[in-house]
Amino acid sequence: MEKSNATYLVEFILLGFSDLPNLRSFLFGTFLVIYLCILIGNGLLIFITKTNPTLQTPMYFFLGNFSFLEICYTSVTLPRILRDIWAQKGNIPFLSCAVQIGFLYILGIAECLLLAVMAYDRYVAICKPLYYPLIMNHRTCVQMVIASWITAIPVQIGVTYYIFSLNFCGHNKLNHIFCDASPLLEIAFGDTYQREIAVHVNTFFFVIIPFLLILISYLKIIVNILKLPSTSGKSKAFSTCSSHLIVVFLFFGSASIVYLRPKSSQSAKSDKLFAVFYTIVTPVLNPLIYSLRNKDVIVALKKLLPKSCCS
């Protein structure tokens, strides 16, 4: 009977923001504007890092790839969220739910790894400036980016399959804004303990360890910055690194809270809030943080704008 019910389950229902019917138009308009800002803002960063001759350095190479990753990462969830709000229904086929989780995890882990690579780049630039051109040559940078994208693919496909190998009998409503492990494990039939452990282990290896590596890199960077004799040199170094750290803490902080909290302390409302933060808010803040705190990016952007706008 259990196998029969699991076999005939063809879709889930994402409840999303159905508990806020009066805010439907406001939420749709807000998320649409945010998505357009993500596409335009990160698209501009990609364009200027590829075309501006002064930005042809490893740091901006990684930034351009990170912006492209942000667009892909957000596009996994936000278009469907907009569709669900507009249509006032959250039906998602079983296979589509699995595909969404698979891409969400693959791209999310790629983002974690790429942020760690960007931290290493800053570490080499500040702590080993004489060896920087040798260590961070173009071939190495390309290999690091490719490794960030593909390293976690087999593991995340395995984790996704492990979650969807559970029996989902009868109840198919997910109290979330997109398909994710936590709401799926809540409605699964049978013992989900091993799957919960798998999600926590996955988070530890691909989120916590990169985060710790980033912290170690920046601790060494800060120590070296404090040794600089020039005040202007310290200011420039801190400005470059602080923008990266802001993105790191926003993304890793919200994601870690969602995936490492014990099940007993989880709530649907808080999970939705944090999910919005690490999948939507962080990507829209990324181009603002990197452009407003980076003089080279500001100069490159001014060259793109009409003279009347600049004046």
Side-chain angles (χ1 to χ4, degrees):
M1 184 68 180
E2 293 168 9
K3 290 182 179 179
S4 177
N5 287 338
T7 302
Y8 288 103
L9 179 61
V10 295
E11 68 176 10
F12 295 104
I13 299 175
L14 292 165
L15 297 181
F17 300 103
S18 58
D19 56 335
L20 302 169
N22 295 331
L23 297 178
R24 172 176 163 252
S25 299
F26 172 76
L27 290 172
F28 180 83
T30 301
F31 286 134
L32 179 61
V33 170
I34 288 174
Y35 189 47
L36 291 175
C37 288
I38 290 171
L39 296 178
I40 295 170
N42 286 287
L44 275 174
L45 279 179
I46 294 170
F47 181 77
I48 63 173
T49 54
K50 294 294 182 184
T51 59
N52 194 290
T54 62
L55 302 183
Q56 302 306 305
T57 63
M59 182 177 77
Y60 296 108
F61 172 73
F62 292 133
L63 179 57
N65 279 276
F66 183 71
S67 295
F68 177 67
L69 184 56
E70 290 277 54
I71 291 175
C72 296
Y73 181 63
T74 309
S75 297
V76 173
T77 57
L78 198 42
R80 180 168 281 275
I81 291 173
L82 288 168
R83 172 257 184 194
D84 291 346
I85 295 173
W86 181 259
Q88 291 185 294
K89 62 178 184 177
N91 301 58
I92 180 170
F94 187 90
L95 182 59
S96 296
C97 188
V99 170
Q100 186 180 62
I101 283 187
F103 276 105
L104 183 71
Y105 289 177
I106 288 170
L107 295 171
I109 297 306
E111 190 162 325
C112 294
L113 297 176
L114 190 55
L115 284 169
V117 168
M118 293 169 73
Y120 176 71
D121 171 69
R122 292 300 84 208
Y123 163 74
V124 177
I126 294 173
C127 300
K128 299 181 179 181
L130 296 179
Y131 297 97
Y132 183 72
L134 181 64
I135 296 174
M136 301 304 294
N137 58 71
H138 182 69
R139 182 180 178 182
T140 301
C141 293
V142 172
Q143 289 174 342
M144 285 181 169
V145 169
I146 293 173
S148 299
W149 277 83
I150 69 173
T151 296
I153 290 178
V155 178
Q156 303 316 310
I157 291 175
V159 170
T160 303
Y161 175 79
Y162 196 43
I163 293 171
F164 281 87
S165 64
L166 286 164
N167 290 330
F168 298 95
C169 303
H171 185 55
N172 66 340
K173 293 183 178 180
L174 304 177
N175 194 6
H176 207 46
I177 57 175
F178 53 79
C179 287
D180 204 356
S182 178
L184 281 166
L185 293 175
E186 285 182 8
I187 67 168
F189 181 81
D191 185 15
T192 61
Y193 178 74
Q194 291 183 348
R195 270 74 173 184
E196 291 171 23
I197 294 298
V199 172
H200 287 309
V201 171
N202 185 55
T203 304
F204 176 78
F205 277 103
F206 291 106
V207 178
I208 301 303
I209 289 181
F211 180 61
L212 292 175
L213 292 174
I214 291 170
L215 288 183
I216 292 170
S217 297
Y218 275 99
L219 283 174
K220 293 183 177 181
I221 288 172
I222 291 171
V223 170
N224 275 270
I225 288 175
L226 293 175
K227 294 179 181 178
L228 293 175
S230 170
T231 305
S232 60
K234 290 180 182 180
S235 177
K236 185 178 180 180
F238 271 121
S239 177
T240 303
C241 296
S242 61
S243 57
H244 184 212
L245 275 175
I246 292 170
V247 174
V248 166
F249 280 109
L250 287 174
F251 179 75
F252 280 93
S254 54
S256 298
I257 291 172
V258 171
Y259 292 106
L260 289 179
R261 280 189 306 168
K263 192 175 181 179
S264 58
S265 65
Q266 292 180 355
S267 69
K269 288 185 178 180
S270 62
D271 282 353
K272 289 180 188 179
L273 178 62
F274 286 118
V276 166
F277 210 82
Y278 70 80
T279 59
I280 298 173
V281 176
T282 303
V284 78
L285 290 178
N286 169 49
L288 291 174
I289 291 170
Y290 278 110
S291 61
L292 294 177
R293 299 183 62 85
N294 190 304
K295 292 180 180 179
D296 294 333
V297 173
I298 291 173
V299 171
L301 285 172
K302 284 182 177 179
K303 291 180 180 179
L304 288 177
L305 297 174
K307 292 182 180 180
S308 58
C309 293
C310 295
S311 58

